Amino acid sequence: MTQTSMEPGGVAGSTLALPAGGPRRASVARWAVRAGITLIYLFMLSPLIFVVWLSFFKDAIITFPPSGYTVSWYLNAWRNAAFADGFLLSLKLAAFAAIGGVILGVAASLALARYRFPGRRTLGNVLLLPLVVPGIVAGIATYLFYLRAENFLDADIVGTFGGLVVAHVCLTIPWTMRLVGASLAQIDGTIEEAARNLGAGPWRTLWRVTLPMLRPAIVAAVLFSFIVSFENLELTLPLVGPGKTTLPIAIMQYLEFNLDPTIAAVSAAQIVLLGIVMLITDRFVKLSQVI
């Protein structure tokens, strides 16, 4: 398509050519980007999709293509007492670990961000170690530490619910520190100073100013701490007592003697449960603003 322009003297000016297919090329590029993003999401979610699909296979021995579909594996998981008891123990343990880890993690983040003292950097690195230490190494180290503590205190720690809670709190503290620490770095400290200048004491400033600004990070920390504790296997394995198993350990023990899709059904139920928790949390606190 060409367009001829007329100059003031009536002489035709130069001919301007618009790029052919410009809008079409932009539209194709947009669709290509969207298709690429969709493929990336499908690749990331493919393990979850495959597990859910597998949980409906009719055959006890997994074959492709399946001979049919059924929900009997979900009923089998529901009737298994080990899964029910493990789920309740994991739920209770994760709740205690998330609450304890968030309380201590928020306190540690505030101390490291707002105060200067000797060994501050070293303390921060030590509290973040559970993120880099392999879980099985941390579990064995915690088990050996508990044995020494039992000899010193003359009390049972290994195999008790309290011992599990303490170990999982140490596991969840780093998640709170990373999320809350990142939010503290974005908070304007002059807001807290203004509250103090207006007569608010340190505790009143903390409760009425600092913590409300940290609310999205704290809620996200509770969510991720709960998930990390609920799904943990390596740290928990050396610390559980006889007859007391969490859900991940119950799944591992079931796999020692069975290979049917019951485990896929249990895993699919966990995926749905944790997905609902994340959706509810995102409804009240936008996780995209924190993560």
Side-chain angles (χ1 to χ4, degrees):
M1 176 180 180
T2 60
Q3 179 178 356
T4 303
S5 61
M6 300 296 294
E7 295 183 355
V11 180
S14 60
T15 302
L16 301 177
L18 298 178
R24 181 177 299 176
R25 289 181 181 178
S27 177
V28 171
R30 285 195 299 269
W31 280 106
V33 171
R34 292 175 182 175
I37 294 174
T38 302
L39 290 176
I40 292 173
Y41 274 109
L42 287 176
F43 176 77
M44 295 174 61
L45 296 175
S46 58
L48 304 183
I49 297 172
F50 180 76
V51 167
V52 175
W53 180 38
L54 187 66
S55 67
F56 292 100
F57 279 22
K58 184 177 181 180
D59 304 311
I61 299 177
I62 300 172
T63 58
F64 289 94
S67 61
Y69 296 96
T70 180
V71 296
S72 60
W73 305 117
Y74 288 89
L75 299 177
N76 186 38
W78 179 262
R79 298 190 191 102
N80 193 309
F83 291 145
D85 296 340
F87 174 79
L88 293 177
L89 180 59
S90 293
L91 194 66
K92 183 167 65 172
L93 176 61
F96 277 94
I99 294 173
V102 167
I103 292 174
L104 295 177
V106 170
S109 299
L110 289 171
L112 294 173
R114 294 291 187 259
Y115 300 97
R116 299 293 182 267
F117 52 88
R120 182 176 66 91
R121 188 178 298 274
T122 302
L123 177 61
N125 292 333
V126 170
L127 292 175
L128 293 175
L129 277 179
L131 292 177
V132 296
V133 175
I136 190 64
V137 174
I140 295 174
T142 305
Y143 173 76
L144 296 176
F145 173 77
Y146 280 177
L147 290 180
R148 291 180 178 272
E150 285 180 347
N151 295 331
F152 179 76
L153 299 174
D154 193 21
D156 294 333
I157 302 177
V158 177
T160 63
F161 181 73
L164 278 175
V165 170
V166 171
H168 278 237
V169 165
C170 295
L171 180 69
T172 56
I173 285 176
W175 292 89
T176 300
M177 291 184 59
R178 294 297 298 269
L179 291 169
V180 174
S183 293
L184 280 172
Q186 300 176 1
I187 290 178
D188 188 359
T190 58
I191 300 177
E192 297 171 306
E193 294 179 2
R196 295 192 188 98
N197 292 335
L198 293 173
W203 286 106
R204 190 176 182 84
T205 302
L206 175 65
W207 284 104
R208 301 296 297 272
V209 179
T210 307
L211 291 182
M213 290 190 294
L214 293 176
R215 185 174 69 93
I218 292 174
V219 174
V222 171
L223 170 65
F224 282 96
S225 297
F226 180 88
I227 294 175
V228 168
S229 176
F230 188 89
E231 297 289 337
N232 183 266
L233 172 65
E234 299 87 354
L235 177 65
T236 310
L237 189 59
L239 304 177
V240 294
K244 297 179 180 179
T245 58
T246 60
L247 184 58
I249 296 178
I251 291 174
M252 184 191 69
Q253 292 174 343
Y254 186 88
L255 284 173
E256 292 180 0
F257 306 101
N258 303 275
L259 292 176
D260 55 58
T262 300
I263 297 301
V266 175
S267 301
Q270 291 184 77
I271 293 170
V272 173
L273 173 64
L274 296 179
I276 292 173
V277 171
M278 293 191 69
L279 289 175
I280 294 175
T281 304
D282 189 65
R283 172 65 178 81
F284 298 99
V285 178
K286 295 300 180 181
L287 298 178
S288 58
Q289 299 176 359
V290 183
I291 305 172

